[in-house]
Amino acid sequence: MATSGKVIRCRAAVAWAVGKPLSLEEVEVAPPKAREVRVKIVATGICRTDDHVIEGSFLDIDFPVIPGHEGAGIVESIGEGVTSVKPGDKVILFGLPQCGECCFCKNPDSNYCLKSHLSVSQCLLPDKTSRFTCRGKQIHHFLWISTFAEYTVVPEFTLAKIDAAAPLDKVCLLACGFSTGYGAAINTAKVGTQLCPGQVHRSHPQKRSATASSSSRGRLSRPHVVQVKPGSTCAVFGLGGVGLSVVMGCKAAGASRIIGVDVNKEKFARAKELGATECISPRDFQKPVQEVLTEMTGYGVDYSFEVIGTADTMTAALASCNMNTGVCVVVGVLPTGSVVPIDPLLFLSGRTCKGTLIGGWKMRDSIPKLVSSYLEKKFNSDLLITHTLPFAKINEGFELLRAGKSIRTVLLY
Ligand code: COD
Ligand code: ZN
Ligand code: ZN
C-alpha cells in the first residue's frame, strides 16, 4: 500500500487524563516494527470497560491513552517476520493475546496468556515503545490494540485473520462483548447439565400400578422414581452487552430457565428476545435478590453469572446458586484494589466460584471459528447492536451507554 513504511496521520480518540471526555485528535501512527501489524480500523464497539478506563477504574492504565478494544479492520502493512496476515486481510483485534509460547498458551485447558495485561503492562507495545504521538507527546496503547483510532499498530499475536465475507461492522463485537458473555456460559460454566435435581417427583401409586408390567420385571423396585428435569437453571446479573451474550450462551447450551437480573427494566425486552425466560429487578423486592432467586428455584440456580462489576452483586450472585453444586461465574471486574467481603460459609457446602477471561476462548484459534459460526447464523450477535454512529460521535456513544439507553454502539470510521 502507498502508506506502507510511512507515518500515517489520522483521527483518534485520546483520553488525556482520568475523568476527562475523549478528545478527537489528529495523531501520528508509526509503521509497524518486527512482529507487528498496522491495521486500518473499520468498526469498533463501545464496551463498558472502555468507560472504566476513562473514569480511571480499570487496572493500571497509563495516560494519555487511546482506548477501544472491540475492533475489526483491514491490514494496512506488516512488520518483519509477520506470517499470519498480509495487507488487505480482514482481521479482528483482541485485548487478550495468544502468544502460543507461554505455559498457559500451551495448556489446552487455559486461555490466559502470560503476555496479558494482568501479567505485563500493555500500555506500551512489547518493545516498551509507543507507535502513537499527538501534539508532540507520546500516547499510550490500551491492551495493545487501541481501536479508537483510524489506524493502530498491534503485535501479531493480538489479531486473527477472518473470512473475507464477514461484515466488520457486525463481527467487531466478537472481539470482546459477545465472546466474553457467550463463552462464560458455554466454556467456563459449561451450562447444559442440570446440577441440582430441583423438584423431586415421587411417582404416584396409581401411576405405578399403571406400569405393573414393568414393575413385575423389577424396574420399579426402588421406592420412588426421580424425574430429573431437562436443562439447567441460570441467573444472569446485568443485562448489558456482555450479560445478554451470557443469556445467548445459556440458551444455546440448553438451559431450561434463564432469569435476567437488572435494575434497568428497559433491558428486559431484549433479554427475553435473546432467551431469558423471566427478568426481575432487585428494586422490586424488600428482600435480597439472592433470597428471591432461591425462592423462585427451590434451592437456588445451577449457574449464576455476575456481569455488572460491583461487590454487592458478586456476593448476591454467589449466594444465588445452589449451596452444593451451584457454580457462580464472575465476569465483572471491580476498581483496582477493591475487595469483596464473602462469608466462607457460602463455600462450605460445596458451591464453586469461577472467573472467566473473554469467555475462556483462546482468541487466535477461536475468533476465525466464531466468525464462521456467525456467518452460518449459529448465533445472532447483531441483536446486541442498538446504535451505529460515525466515529466522530464517540462521546455521544458513551453518553448512551452511561444513560442505560444502548446495549452496544458500533462506531464506523
Ligand atoms: N443490580 C442489577 N443490575 C445492575 C446493577 C445492580 N446493582 N448495576 C448495574 N446494573 C446493570 C445495568 O443496568 C446494565 O444493564 C448492566 O448492569 C451492565 O451493563 P453495561 O452495558 O454497563 O456493561 P457491559 O455488558 O458492556 O460490561 C459489563 C462488564 C461486567 C463486562 C464490565 O463492566 C467489566 O467489568 N469488564 C471487565 C471484565 C471483563 O470481563 N472484561 C472483558 C470484557 S470487557
Ligand atoms: Zn470489553
Ligand atoms: Zn501466551
Side-chain angles (χ1 to χ4, degrees):
M1 291 204 180
T3 45
S4 180
K6 298 178 185 156
V7 171
I8 293 179
R9 297 177 76 83
C10 65
R11 289 176 308 160
V14 179
W16 286 102
V18 170
K20 298 266 185 262
L22 290 169
S23 171
L24 218 59
E25 304 277 359
E26 186 177 78
V27 298
E28 294 86 34
V29 186
K33 294 188 184 175
R35 305 293 305 271
E36 294 174 1
V37 181
R38 189 160 60 182
V39 179
K40 182 181 190 332
I41 301 291
V42 172
T44 185
I46 296 179
C47 174
R48 177 65 76 174
T49 299
D50 296 309
D51 198 31
H52 293 328
V53 172
I54 295 165
E55 70 189 17
S57 59
F58 187 78
L59 308 162
D60 302 328
I61 295 301
D62 295 329
F63 286 70
V65 61
I66 299 175
H69 65 284
E70 219 172 59
I74 294 169
V75 174
E76 177 270 339
S77 61
I78 56 174
E80 201 187 314
V82 170
T83 55
S84 63
V85 291
K86 59 181 185 320
D89 283 346
K90 280 188 180 177
V91 289
I92 285 181
L93 320 181
F94 30 84
L96 174 64
Q98 187 186 341
C99 78
E101 289 163 5
C102 72
C103 59
F104 291 135
C105 276
K106 285 181 177 162
N107 179 348
D109 297 329
S110 159
N111 76 324
Y112 184 79
C113 171
L114 283 173
K115 298 217 162 38
S116 301
H117 186 68
L118 291 171
S119 293
V120 293
S121 169
Q122 295 176 325
C123 298
L124 293 172
L125 291 183
D127 74 344
K128 306 280 179 241
T129 63
S130 169
R131 301 292 160 271
F132 296 119
T133 50
C134 177
R135 299 195 232 160
K137 286 205 177 77
Q138 172 186 275
I139 309 295
H140 291 95
H141 294 249
F142 173 57
L143 298 180
W144 281 342
I145 56 175
S146 292
T147 63
F148 292 164
E150 284 175 300
Y151 286 85
T152 189
V153 176
V154 307
E156 183 181 10
F157 44 69
T158 62
L159 55 64
K161 179 180 171 176
I162 57 167
D163 194 316
L168 298 179
D169 58 334
K170 303 288 191 295
V171 297
C172 58
L173 299 196
L174 274 47
C176 172
F178 175 77
S179 303
T180 297
Y182 196 74
I186 67 170
N187 296 331
T188 310
K190 296 188 169 60
V191 173
T193 48
Q194 186 192 27
L195 298 179
C196 175
Q199 273 187 297
V200 173
H201 302 277
R202 286 173 195 276
S203 58
H204 195 276
Q206 278 149 20
K207 281 194 182 157
R208 198 180 292 178
S209 65
T211 55
S213 59
S214 305
S215 182
S216 63
R217 290 198 297 271
R219 285 192 188 161
L220 291 175
S221 55
R222 287 178 297 148
H224 64 266
V225 177
V226 177
Q227 298 172 330
V228 176
K229 287 194 287 181
S232 49
T233 55
C234 304
V236 183
F237 286 70
L239 300 172
V242 183
L244 289 175
S245 303
V246 174
V247 169
M248 279 195 259
C250 292
K251 187 178 178 194
S256 61
R257 202 167 172 196
I258 305 167
I259 307 168
V261 181
D262 202 299
V263 288
N264 181 352
K265 291 185 180 179
E266 285 180 31
K267 304 286 173 98
F268 291 0
R270 188 64 58 109
K272 286 185 178 165
E273 196 183 341
L274 292 172
T277 52
E278 56 231 280
C279 292
I280 58 170
S281 167
R283 291 183 182 157
D284 285 347
F285 302 92
Q286 299 300 321
K287 57 181 95 164
V289 69
Q290 53 268 40
E291 285 179 27
V292 176
L293 286 162
T294 303
E295 281 170 15
M296 284 170 79
T297 54
Y299 303 101
V301 293
D302 295 312
Y303 304 94
S304 58
F305 298 86
E306 200 285 340
V307 206
I308 299 167
T310 72
D312 286 352
T313 47
M314 285 178 192
T315 312
L318 178 61
S320 299
C321 65
N322 91 63
M323 65 191 300
N324 181 207
T325 51
V327 177
C328 173
V329 178
V330 175
V331 182
V333 166
L334 298 180
T336 315
S338 312
V339 287
V340 183
I342 288 186
D343 179 352
L345 206 57
L346 286 169
F347 295 113
L348 191 67
S349 48
R351 281 186 184 88
T352 305
C353 188
K354 300 176 86 171
T356 182
L357 194 57
I358 316 285
W361 307 100
K362 278 186 185 290
M363 290 300 265
R364 276 185 95 186
D365 296 344
S366 305
I367 281 289
K369 294 177 194 158
L370 280 165
V371 169
S372 299
S373 297
Y374 169 88
L375 291 171
E376 289 160 15
K377 302 194 187 309
K378 291 192 176 151
F379 53 79
N380 186 1
S381 49
D382 295 359
L383 291 170
L384 301 172
I385 302 172
T386 50
H387 298 76
T388 302
L389 292 175
F391 177 54
K393 295 196 171 173
I394 185 166
N395 282 320
E396 199 176 302
F398 275 96
E399 287 314 317
L400 287 165
L401 178 71
R402 290 173 195 138
K405 300 282 179 213
S406 61
I407 304 288
R408 271 299 188 264
T409 295
V410 171
L411 301 170
L412 301 178
Y413 291 75

